[in-house]
């Protein structure tokens, strides 16, 4: 009998192939999941999310007792996933009113929710204040004016100020946010005036600086450079270092480990800012990217010049390949092997709707269940209903049990807003 087969390390922790070659995630057979919940579907391995949350908390706790790990909700703003992270004791940052509503429903303590945004509406600010969020992260002077104006009586709101530190980390330009010329935050020359303005306000309690230099960052030096830049603005009680740690999307990708990332950030703050500064960190991608696989069904296999394997999802459930040229692995759920070089394409009316170019599959056929691992970050959150696609469900799997966290969209859902 053949031995159980090894899987690519980008699959959720605990995933494996049976001796017959069937993929198992969270103890559940992937083909059975496709049958029960339909495709496309996001399948989240609960133990993977928990393990990564614990790894972040333990890595900080081993180095400092003045820290807080926030989940950047934008990476996977589904109540079921947020609730897992709330239960692990994480705090949460939200980038708008919708994410705030999800974080509240998931059970985060409002005092440990933090509101971001470079274009916050008055409504979003009011909702954050009404909820009692811990920090509003001020991005521009309009934020300052609006927040002050809506705070009732002698209410005081905790705030941080977002700084653009002039540090450009190597990543896709669309997710590089720390350079000197960016739409996010105040650059170093504008920051002192804004800080003075906030400090002069009796309604705003400035608790520290915030910086987020970008996402899918694979080197550690830029995080230290960002901390060094912040020291030019004075001393503060806390610093929020944003997120940014990259994830492994295909075998061979080697992002820093959680341990290495936390070590780099804590060491930078302790050496450059001092021992007593509280460190807030906001990982998104690194907490959830590898927790999830997407299941698709093959609808057609076509040989033009190349071979096109077309599935029932695509840019409606995973925009990252189209936005950033992001790469994904592709596997069949019930067998391994190769032999057919092909492109895995989506069902949408764009030639660019290609999930993965030049992959090898073993004689893919209509009806096969295809799996793309590492789709937990920014897949669900950027999902859309292009071509009337029904947005995919989220299924949480653990110990062989599967639970629906978000149901599939219906035509009624889509038409409900037409008046
Ligand atoms: C302000 C802020 N914090 C945290 C994050 C999370 O980043 P990542 O998912 O790369 O960890 C983002 C995402 O871009 C962000 O904009």
């Amino acid at each position: 009998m053949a031995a159980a087969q090894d899987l690519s390390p980008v699959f959720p922790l605990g995933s494996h192939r049976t001796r017959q070659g069937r993929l198992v995630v969270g103890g559940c057979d992937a083909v059975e999941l496709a049958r029960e919940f339909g495709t496309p579907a996001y399948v989240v391995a609960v133990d993977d999310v928990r393990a990564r949350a614990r790894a972040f908390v333990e890595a900080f706790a081993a180095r400092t007792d003045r820290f807080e790990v926030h989940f950047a909700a934008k990476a996977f703003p589904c109540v079921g996933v947020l609730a897992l992270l709330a239960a692990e004791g994480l705090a949460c940052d939200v980038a708008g009113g919708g994410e705030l509503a999800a974080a509240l429903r998931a059970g985060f303590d409002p005092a440990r929710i933090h509101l971001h945004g470079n274009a916050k509406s008055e409504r979003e600010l009011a909702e954050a204040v009404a909820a009692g969020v811990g920090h509003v992260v001020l991005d521009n002077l309009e934020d300052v004016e609006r927040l002050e104006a809506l705070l009732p009586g002698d209410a005081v709101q905790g705030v941080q100020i977002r700084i653009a530190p002039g540090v450009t980390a190597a990543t896709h330009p669309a997710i590089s946010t720390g350079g000197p010329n960016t739409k996010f935050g105040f650059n170093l020359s504008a920051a002192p005036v804004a800080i003075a303005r906030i400090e002069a306000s009796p309604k705003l309690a400035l608790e520290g600086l915030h910086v987020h230099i970008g996402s899918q960052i694979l080197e550690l030096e830029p995080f230290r450079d960002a901390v060094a830049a912040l020291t030019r603005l004075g001393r503060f009680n806390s610093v929020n270092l944003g997120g940014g740690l990259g994830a492994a999307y295909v075998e061979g990708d080697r992002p820093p480990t959680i341990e290495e990332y936390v070590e780099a950030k804590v060491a930078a703050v302790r050496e450059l800012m001092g021992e007593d500064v509280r460190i807030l960190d906001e990982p998104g991608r690194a907490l959830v990217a590898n927790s999830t696989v997407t299941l698709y069904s093959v609808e057609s296999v076509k040989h033009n010049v190349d071979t096109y394997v077309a599935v029932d999802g695509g840019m409606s459930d995973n925009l990252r390949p189209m936005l950033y040229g992001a790469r994904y692995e592709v596997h069949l759920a019930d067998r391994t092997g190769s032999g057919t070089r092909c492109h895995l394409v989506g069902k949408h009316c764009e030639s660019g709707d290609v999930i993965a170019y030049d992959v090898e599959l073993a004689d893919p056929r209509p009806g096969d269940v295809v799996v793309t691992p590492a789709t937990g970050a920014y897949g669900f959150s950027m999902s859309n209903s292009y071509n009337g696609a029904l947005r995919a469900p989220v299924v949480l799997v653990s110990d062989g049990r599967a639970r629906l966290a978000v149901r599939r969209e219906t035509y009624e859902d889509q038409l409900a807003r037409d008046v």
Side-chain angles (χ1 to χ4, degrees):
M1 212 192 275
Q5 299 162 42
D6 285 341
L7 266 193
S8 159
V10 307
F11 273 91
L13 301 173
S15 306
H16 64 276
R17 292 257 182 203
T18 64
R19 290 170 197 280
Q20 292 73 32
R22 291 174 73 107
L23 175 68
V24 176
V25 179
C28 298
D29 181 284
V31 175
E32 292 299 327
L33 289 170
R35 216 166 272 156
E36 183 175 351
F37 297 97
T39 54
Y42 303 103
V43 174
V44 183
V46 167
D47 293 349
D48 185 288
V49 177
R50 289 200 179 119
R52 288 180 212 268
R54 286 174 198 171
F56 269 101
V57 172
E58 283 164 15
F60 274 101
R63 294 169 173 83
T64 177
D65 52 8
R66 295 180 60 68
F67 73 97
E68 188 164 61
V69 180
H70 301 207
F71 175 51
K74 71 194 72 174
F76 205 155
C78 126
V79 173
V81 170
L82 292 170
L84 283 177
L85 293 162
E88 288 300 320
L90 268 57
C92 185
D93 86 71
V94 298
E99 288 181 7
L100 173 61
L104 291 170
R105 186 178 288 185
F108 282 102
D109 173 1
R112 299 181 67 223
I113 298 177
H114 306 268
L115 177 70
H116 285 293
N118 69 309
K120 302 177 192 76
S121 67
E122 196 173 317
R123 174 181 167 170
E124 288 171 322
L125 287 166
E127 287 168 354
V129 169
V133 302
H135 289 148
V136 173
V137 182
L138 300 169
D139 175 275
N140 50 67
L141 290 173
E142 288 73 17
D143 268 356
V144 179
E145 303 289 334
R146 287 200 190 113
L147 182 58
E148 265 184 336
L150 61 82
L151 281 165
D154 53 7
V156 175
Q157 173 65 52
V159 298
Q160 293 196 319
I161 175 170
R162 179 155 179 176
I163 307 297
V167 173
T168 308
T171 186
H172 191 282
I175 48 175
S176 175
T177 55
N181 189 9
T182 163
K183 70 173 188 171
F184 298 105
F186 295 89
N187 65 20
L188 289 171
S189 57
V193 171
I195 290 171
R197 166 73 181 81
I198 297 164
E199 284 180 330
S201 170
K203 292 183 164 241
L204 305 177
L206 180 59
E207 290 169 17
L209 306 179
H210 175 282
V211 73
H212 171 73
I213 59 174
S215 198
Q216 188 58 10
I217 295 173
L218 301 174
E219 50 185 358
L220 296 171
E221 298 74 32
F223 296 119
R224 187 182 180 87
D225 296 344
V227 173
L230 294 185
T231 61
R232 291 165 52 187
L233 299 174
R235 286 187 64 83
F236 296 87
N237 295 335
S238 71
V239 62
N240 184 331
L241 297 176
L245 176 59
Y249 284 96
V250 296
E251 196 157 7
D253 281 354
R254 295 264 179 281
T257 62
I258 291 172
E259 189 84 12
E260 289 164 345
Y261 163 88
V262 171
E263 170 60 25
K265 284 190 162 182
V266 174
V269 173
R270 292 290 168 253
E271 286 162 30
L272 302 172
M273 292 182 162
E275 285 302 317
D276 50 349
V277 175
R278 189 152 177 270
I279 306 172
L280 282 50
D281 202 66
E282 297 173 337
R285 185 189 306 277
L287 275 167
V288 292
N290 294 97
S291 70
T292 300
V293 304
T294 304
L295 307 180
Y296 299 104
S297 295
V298 174
E299 301 286 15
S300 73
V301 178
K302 175 186 295 179
H303 307 283
N304 278 338
V305 175
D306 293 338
T307 299
Y308 292 86
V309 175
V311 294
D312 51 0
M315 61 192 292
S316 52
D317 56 79
N318 187 359
L319 259 185
R320 295 190 65 258
M322 304 82 202
L323 280 178
Y324 318 127
R327 291 170 62 220
Y328 285 86
E329 292 186 2
V330 179
H331 301 266
L332 290 168
D334 66 353
R335 60 191 186 275
T336 55
S338 55
T340 305
R341 191 155 192 86
C342 55
H343 308 308
L344 188 78
V345 300
K347 66 180 276 125
H348 300 287
C349 302
E350 305 247 342
S351 294
D353 176 33
V354 177
I355 300 165
Y357 287 96
D358 291 321
V359 294
E360 284 278 348
L361 294 173
D363 187 21
R365 298 180 286 265
D368 279 338
V369 176
V370 164
V371 184
T372 53
T375 53
Y378 305 103
F380 172 84
S381 45
M382 292 188 188
S383 64
N384 60 80
S385 50
Y386 182 41
N387 297 139
L390 300 175
R391 270 175 282 202
V394 177
V395 180
L396 304 184
V397 291
S398 176
D399 291 333
R401 285 187 298 277
R403 178 169 70 83
L404 193 63
V406 179
R407 65 164 170 77
R408 188 179 307 284
E409 194 170 32
T410 63
Y411 296 136
E412 291 70 35
D413 291 333
Q414 287 188 352
L415 296 172
R417 293 186 306 130
D418 277 279
V419 291

